[in-house]
Amino acid sequence: MHISNVIIEFVKRVIQFNDQFEEMDHNYLCNQVLALLGEEDFSAVPEEISVLKADTLVLLDAMVDQAVVNQVVEDFQSTREILESRLMDFMTPAPSQVNHKFHELRQQSPERATDYFYELSRRNDYIKTRAIAQNIEFSTETQYGPLEITINLSKPEKNAKQILAESQAKSVKYPQCQLCMENEGYLGKVNYPARSTHRVIRVDLKGDAWGFQYSPYAYFPEHAIFLAEEHRPMSITKQTFANLLYLIEQFPHYFIGSNSDLPISGGSILSHDHYQGGHYDFPMAKAAINYHFPLKQWPSISAGIVNWPMSVIRLQSKEIEDLVEAADFIYEEWKAYSNDALSIRSYTEDGVRHHTLTPIARHNGEAYELDIVLRDNNTSDEFPDGIFHPHPEVQHIKQENIGLIEVMGLAILPPRLKTELAEVKAFLLNNDHQLEEKHLDWAEMIKETHDITEENVDDIIKSEVGHRFATILEHAGVFKHDEIGVEAFRAFVDGLTLK
């Protein structure tokens, strides 16, 4: 493809998709792109069908490749992404225009507004659709229903040259963090992601200023992030429950949940108050209640324990304020609850709090629904990584914290498993292999319990990974699914109605 044709076709699409520009802007846009590519020649050449039919991202690759040839950018991932983002910014209306369009569509329906913003974020390559498509995804039936697995291959690996450049890059305090609104339109650096195409929808939460964006490396459809305009630490409070439900009022087709506010128990970015949401029904949302209990203080609320590997209380009501009050009451009771027999300790001797929640809100029919997942971040000599954290015997599959997404039944597993599971497969088929020691006990158990063939080995491995994930979630559950744990959990919720 001739670079002049690539630029011409790219500019045509910019004018087509960005209302900010008209045909009169063609020469201006061509010259802007030429400057970014360091390209001086702009020769007229015969039209190429391959260019006309090419995906926009293919045109983008061609332009960035030309910039590398012209030595405008170095050929490693971060510098390429900075230029990609600057080029795709031409396709992206200004933040004010995006917000005006979004709120205009929201008057028609919230779903039309999010459809617009989601499609824009995909088209301008803010959401890395090509990278996400590399992920390995499957599901497994378990006693708790289906659990979903993603082996995360979407984030590109860094080469030695980029790692060196990052280590030598100057450290600055702007933006304060990757969730701050000041990232909107930020160029990026060798050690900081490009954000030229980043846009944030402004959201009002009863007078508190928040924003709404999509995740660049989404793990599920319309993977959204809701973030406070103020850079303030994560915290689970009564206001959290209210915020989640107020957001569901505005986006009734989404679920919205919060990670916990303590390390080990799932918080990944604790420095900036934020939630996650999306247009997706996770396995936990489909799980049934296996034990109902009353909350006499709030007769509008239906309450129960969810049949789930972690310890989940579900509240349902048409009344938001009742849900907020009840959730806060349960939270206060949980923060004070201890059970030494189950290694559940609310505070250690130094006065440090160890109990928190992972709350998730959604609409269910005419009612609002709030799932309250009980979390504990205590450690012990036996489990220094966390008592309610993946235990050593399952860390060959996942050793990272169990966050909001995993809590709801979607495992985000490390990219190393792609090659490691290939070695497990070779071992199971008695072929030459380089099986790592950490997988040996698990692989031997699989071999002993299955009649393995070439035809079924892949399905067996996927099933066993899914069941390992169920065990990981059970480890993170504070009340176990044995007789003692079930009895203790029911005693805890039965005690709620007596106070």
Side-chain angles (χ1 to χ4, degrees), residues 127-190:
I127 298 175
K128 303 298 182 184
T129 54
R130 288 189 295 184
I132 294 166
Q134 299 177 52
N135 292 342
I136 298 171
E137 300 175 347
F138 55 91
S139 64
T140 299
E141 284 294 330
T142 73
Q143 69 185 88
Y144 308 104
L147 295 179
E148 300 174 354
I149 309 295
T150 292
I151 298 177
N152 180 25
L153 305 174
S154 59
K155 292 188 179 180
E157 294 185 22
K158 300 172 183 177
N159 59 34
K161 185 178 181 183
Q162 180 168 344
I163 293 171
L164 176 61
E166 289 183 5
S167 69
Q168 296 174 340
K170 181 181 178 181
S171 177
V172 295
K173 296 183 179 180
Y174 179 86
Q176 290 186 75
C177 79
Q178 292 190 25
L179 290 180
C180 284
M181 287 192 185
E182 61 209 41
N183 284 276
E184 196 171 41
Y186 186 68
L187 178 65
K189 302 187 291 286
V190 69

Side-chain angles (χ1 to χ4, degrees), residues 138-145 147 149 309 394 397 442 445 450 459-474:
F138 55 91
S139 64
T140 299
E141 284 294 330
T142 73
Q143 69 185 88
Y144 308 104
L147 295 179
I149 309 295
V394 297
I397 295 296
W442 180 61
M445 179 275 293
H450 293 277
D459 288 339
I460 288 171
I461 291 173
K462 290 177 180 178
S463 176
E464 292 295 340
V465 169
H467 283 91
R468 214 57 164 175
F469 178 48
T471 301
I472 288 168
L473 293 183
E474 288 173 342

Side-chain angles (χ1 to χ4, degrees), residues 284-304:
M284 190 176 79
K286 304 171 189 175
I289 291 176
N290 60 16
Y291 183 75
H292 292 268
F293 62 92
L295 285 173
K296 293 179 181 178
Q297 308 94 312
W298 299 280
S300 76
I301 294 178
S302 171

Side-chain angles (χ1 to χ4, degrees), residues 305-324:
I305 294 174
V306 180
N307 180 33
W308 196 244
M310 297 184 69
S311 305
V312 185
I313 297 170
R314 178 167 294 162
L315 307 178
Q316 296 172 316
S317 176
K318 294 181 181 179
E319 305 298 327
I320 285 180
E321 297 309 319
D322 283 358
L323 287 172
V324 171

Side-chain angles (χ1 to χ4, degrees), residues 93-318:
S96 57
Q97 291 183 300
V98 173
N99 272 267
H100 290 323
K101 181 71 171 179
F102 182 91
H103 291 295
E104 177 185 311
L105 290 171
R106 204 172 101 186
Q107 298 305 310
Q108 302 171 32
S109 89
E111 197 160 353
R112 288 196 67 178
T114 55
D115 283 350
Y116 156 73
F117 188 39
Y118 185 59
E119 180 55 34
L120 171 66
S121 301
R122 286 167 56 88
R123 185 190 297 129
N124 71 4
D125 198 41
Y126 179 74
I127 298 175
K128 303 298 182 184
T129 54
R130 288 189 295 184
I132 294 166
Q134 299 177 52
N135 292 342
I136 298 171
E137 300 175 347
F138 55 91
S139 64
T140 299
E141 284 294 330
T142 73
Q143 69 185 88
Y144 308 104
L147 295 179
E148 300 174 354
I149 309 295
T150 292
I151 298 177
N152 180 25
L153 305 174
S154 59
K155 292 188 179 180
E157 294 185 22
K158 300 172 183 177
N159 59 34
K161 185 178 181 183
Q162 180 168 344
I163 293 171
L164 176 61
E166 289 183 5
S167 69
Q168 296 174 340
K170 181 181 178 181
S171 177
V172 295
K173 296 183 179 180
Y174 179 86
Q176 290 186 75
C177 79
Q178 292 190 25
L179 290 180
C180 284
M181 287 192 185
E182 61 209 41
N183 284 276
E184 196 171 41
Y186 186 68
L187 178 65
K189 302 187 291 286
V190 69
N191 61 346
Y192 198 94
R195 290 291 181 259
S196 292
T197 57
H198 180 39
R199 300 292 183 266
V200 181
I201 300 298
R202 272 52 176 184
V203 178
D204 176 63
L205 284 183
K206 308 291 184 179
D208 192 15
W210 280 66
F212 155 48
Q213 65 184 65
Y214 288 110
S215 172
Y217 294 97
Y219 294 131
F220 51 87
E222 298 183 46
H223 184 172
I225 300 172
F226 296 85
L227 50 103
E229 181 176 1
E230 179 189 1
H231 180 75
R232 63 190 185 220
M234 283 279 294
S235 63
I236 302 295
T237 66
K238 183 178 181 179
Q239 190 62 48
T240 304
F241 312 129
N243 285 349
L244 294 177
L245 291 163
Y246 294 156
L247 284 168
I248 293 298
E249 272 191 305
Q250 298 188 48
F251 304 96
H253 56 302
Y254 276 14
F255 84 89
I256 302 170
S258 175
N259 262 312
S260 79
D261 58 347
L262 295 178
I264 296 179
S265 61
S268 55
I269 301 178
L270 297 177
S271 62
H272 196 117
D273 203 7
H274 71 285
Y275 313 132
Q276 296 182 72
H279 198 177
Y280 192 62
D281 289 328
F282 277 88
M284 190 176 79
K286 304 171 189 175
I289 291 176
N290 60 16
Y291 183 75
H292 292 268
F293 62 92
L295 285 173
K296 293 179 181 178
Q297 308 94 312
W298 299 280
S300 76
I301 294 178
S302 171
I305 294 174
V306 180
N307 180 33
W308 196 244
M310 297 184 69
S311 305
V312 185
I313 297 170
R314 178 167 294 162
L315 307 178
Q316 296 172 316
S317 176
K318 294 181 181 179

Side-chain angles (χ1 to χ4, degrees), residues 212-454:
F212 155 48
Q213 65 184 65
Y214 288 110
S215 172
Y217 294 97
Y219 294 131
F220 51 87
E222 298 183 46
H223 184 172
I225 300 172
F226 296 85
L227 50 103
E229 181 176 1
E230 179 189 1
H231 180 75
R232 63 190 185 220
M234 283 279 294
S235 63
I236 302 295
T237 66
K238 183 178 181 179
Q239 190 62 48
T240 304
F241 312 129
N243 285 349
L244 294 177
L245 291 163
Y246 294 156
L247 284 168
I248 293 298
E249 272 191 305
Q250 298 188 48
F251 304 96
H253 56 302
Y254 276 14
F255 84 89
I256 302 170
S258 175
N259 262 312
S260 79
D261 58 347
L262 295 178
I264 296 179
S265 61
S268 55
I269 301 178
L270 297 177
S271 62
H272 196 117
D273 203 7
H274 71 285
Y275 313 132
Q276 296 182 72
H279 198 177
Y280 192 62
D281 289 328
F282 277 88
M284 190 176 79
K286 304 171 189 175
I289 291 176
N290 60 16
Y291 183 75
H292 292 268
F293 62 92
L295 285 173
K296 293 179 181 178
Q297 308 94 312
W298 299 280
S300 76
I301 294 178
S302 171
I305 294 174
V306 180
N307 180 33
W308 196 244
M310 297 184 69
S311 305
V312 185
I313 297 170
R314 178 167 294 162
L315 307 178
Q316 296 172 316
S317 176
K318 294 181 181 179
E319 305 298 327
I320 285 180
E321 297 309 319
D322 283 358
L323 287 172
V324 171
E325 294 293 335
D328 185 56
F329 168 70
I330 292 170
Y331 186 27
E332 292 301 319
E333 292 297 310
W334 171 240
K335 284 193 290 188
Y337 177 86
S338 291
N339 189 324
D340 289 340
L342 301 180
S343 299
I344 299 173
R345 293 183 296 277
S346 57
Y347 290 86
T348 44
E349 293 179 358
D350 53 3
V352 174
R353 173 173 64 94
H354 290 283
H355 284 179
T356 186
L357 304 176
T358 300
I360 302 109
R362 66 182 75 87
H363 244 294
N364 189 342
E366 295 183 358
Y368 293 96
E369 194 166 84
L370 190 62
D371 281 353
I372 298 172
V373 188
L374 308 180
R375 309 301 302 272
D376 178 313
N377 80 338
N378 274 288
T379 60
S380 66
D381 291 340
E382 183 181 5
F383 301 114
D385 295 329
I387 299 171
F388 304 101
H389 177 85
H391 291 176
E393 67 266 26
V394 297
Q395 290 184 6
H396 66 105
I397 295 296
K398 182 176 177 65
Q399 61 186 19
E400 298 82 7
N401 294 349
I402 301 304
L404 172 68
I405 296 171
E406 285 91 359
V407 164
M408 295 185 293
L410 170 56
I412 309 300
L413 301 182
R416 61 178 172 81
L417 284 178
K418 179 180 180 181
T419 54
E420 291 176 10
L421 292 179
E423 298 302 327
V424 171
K425 177 179 178 179
F427 172 84
L428 295 177
L429 293 173
N430 298 313
N431 295 334
D432 291 338
H433 62 82
Q434 295 180 326
L435 183 67
E436 294 189 34
E437 179 71 22
K438 63 184 177 184
H439 292 302
L440 182 59
D441 289 346
W442 180 61
E444 287 180 338
M445 179 275 293
I446 296 174
K447 183 176 282 190
E448 290 171 3
T449 55
H450 293 277
D451 182 16
I452 296 169
T453 66
E454 285 275 4

